[in-house]
């Protein structure tokens, strides 16, 4: 499917150019003009709020790369989540309401095909919107972006773009070196923005320490088209890897992931599960969304094995036993 590019000017406007657009009736044209004005207004507010909250400068322009129907898919997910939120019984405590809403959003993506490297280009970084194909990271990012829209009652497409940009990039700067390629950096930056926080207590179950030694991207540039075709970009990636290396984090070893009261109190429905790996140069190898069943902890994830987004039928304990390189899990809670 041919991608559409939308140029966003951070200082002022949100502009869309539609090539060979179908003819519209007069009322439809008026509605489109009104929608464009509303989108532009919200984009200005979104950029202003990001600047005010971080006091850092956003790069002047970026492009949104998407297929023609991606914006409507985004709006469908937001609309369904809003309806579900309104249906949640108000006598349930606020944290459980949050968990139920997150699970609803996470499950709404089930069945979408797994496709790796949908963010990768070889020359220019764009804000990729693709709800037709997901990998484990873009799945979690889209769950979080839709959740933030609903949580803050900011439910336009421009609002979604604002949240996705902040979630995916350091300071919202759409640049390859600012994309949070390693999930540890993703956690750090999204914690700063107030979207998430890492859970690393109590001990037990968080009884083992991970010490990072990050180098995979800068030592495997052939696996990354942008680095392969733009060698000058390796330096900032290597600098980021050095900054992360040496950091330590508490995690739950995979042998301790059991169906116990302790684990159920430490890991909640809707938490992000980051599976850590012993593969050289990496911090994590897979991520998903936690969901408890009667038989134990399971994971909603964009699965390379199942080739789509699934609610994994195996418990997480059994799943990880089949992957020798996976050593344990870090837990990230969505605020």
């Amino acid at each position: 499917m041919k991608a559409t590019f939308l140029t966003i000017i951070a200082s002022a406007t949100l502009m869309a150019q539609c090539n060979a657009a179908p003819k519209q009736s007069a009322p439809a044209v008026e509605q489109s003009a009104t929608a464009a004005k509303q989108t532009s207004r919200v984009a200005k507010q979104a950029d202003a709020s990001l600047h005010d909250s971080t006091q850092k400068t956003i790069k002047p322009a970026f492009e949104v790369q998407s297929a023609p129907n991606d914006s409507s898919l985004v709006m469908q997910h937001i609309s369904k989540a809003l309806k579900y939120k309104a249906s949640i019984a108000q006598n349930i405590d606020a944290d459980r309401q949050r968990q139920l809403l997150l699970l609803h959003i996470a499950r709404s993506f089930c069945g979408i095909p797994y496709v790796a490297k949908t963010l990768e280009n070889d020359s220019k970084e764009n804000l990729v919107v693709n709800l037709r194909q997901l990998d484990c990271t873009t799945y979690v990012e889209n769950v979080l972006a839709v959740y933030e829209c609903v949580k803050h009652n900011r439910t336009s497409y421009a609002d979604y773009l604002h949240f996705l940009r902040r979630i995916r990039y350091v300071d919202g700067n759409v640049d390859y070196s600012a994309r949070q390629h390693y999930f540890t950096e993703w956690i750090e930056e999204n914690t700063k923005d107030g979207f998430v926080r890492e859970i690393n207590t109590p001990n037990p179950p968080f009884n083992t320490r991970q010490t990072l030694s990050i180098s995979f991207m800068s030592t495997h540039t052939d696996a990354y088209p942008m680095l392969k075709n733009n060698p000058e970009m390796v330096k900032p990636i290597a600098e980021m890897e050095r900054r992360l290396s040496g950091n330590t984090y508490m995690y739950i070893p995979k042998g301790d992931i059991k169906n116990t009261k302790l684990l159920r109190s430490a890991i909640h429905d809707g938490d992000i599960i980051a599976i850590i790996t012993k593969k050289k140069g990496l911090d994590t190898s897979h991520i998903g969304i936690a969901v408890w069943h009667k038989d134990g902890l399971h994971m909603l994830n964009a699965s390379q094995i199942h080739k789509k987004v699934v609610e994994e039928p195996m418990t997480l304990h059994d799943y990880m036993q089949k992957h020798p390189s996976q050593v344990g899990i870090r837990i990230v809670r969505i605020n």
Side-chain angles (χ1 to χ4, degrees), residues 74-85:
V74 168
M75 298 311 296
Q76 288 171 27
H77 279 280
I78 292 173
S79 176
K80 289 176 182 178
L82 282 168
K83 289 178 181 177
Y84 180 78
K85 182 184 178 183

Side-chain angles (χ1 to χ4, degrees), residues 154-271:
R154 293 175 55 176
T155 55
S156 72
Y157 184 55
D159 291 322
Y160 162 84
L161 294 177
H162 163 72
F163 285 119
L164 184 65
R165 176 164 58 97
R166 288 183 61 191
I167 289 164
R168 185 172 292 165
Y169 294 96
V170 176
D171 298 329
N173 289 331
V174 181
D175 183 85
Y176 188 80
S177 62
R179 199 202 309 165
Q180 290 140 196
H181 299 276
Y182 292 97
F183 201 64
T184 293
E185 185 181 35
W186 191 100
I187 297 168
E188 288 183 355
E189 294 300 323
N190 280 284
T191 297
K192 290 176 185 176
D193 277 340
F195 295 143
V196 304
R197 65 192 189 277
E198 183 158 7
I199 305 299
N200 51 28
T201 59
N203 177 4
F206 295 91
N207 58 19
T208 307
R209 190 178 303 275
Q210 178 190 30
T211 301
L212 299 189
S213 179
I214 303 295
S215 63
F216 191 88
M217 290 183 68
S218 63
T219 56
H220 296 79
T221 55
D222 284 352
Y224 301 91
M226 190 74 84
L227 297 181
K228 182 179 180 180
N229 296 321
N230 303 275
E232 71 279 3
M233 291 186 176
V234 177
K235 183 178 179 180
I237 295 296
E239 289 173 351
M240 175 266 294
E241 292 172 336
R242 285 192 293 272
R243 183 183 63 79
L244 293 175
S245 294
N247 291 354
T248 61
Y249 304 91
M250 299 304 293
Y251 71 91
I252 303 172
K254 67 180 180 182
D256 293 348
I257 303 173
K258 299 174 183 177
N259 190 13
T260 64
K261 185 177 180 180
L262 176 64
L263 260 290
R264 286 178 177 267
S265 67
I267 304 171
H268 298 174
D269 285 335
D271 285 351

Side-chain angles (χ1 to χ4, degrees), residues 101-110 139 143 270 289 300 309:
L101 178 59
L102 282 166
L103 285 184
H104 173 81
I105 295 170
R107 284 170 169 154
S108 73
F109 291 91
C110 283
Y139 167 61
V143 169
I289 304 292
L300 283 147
V309 176

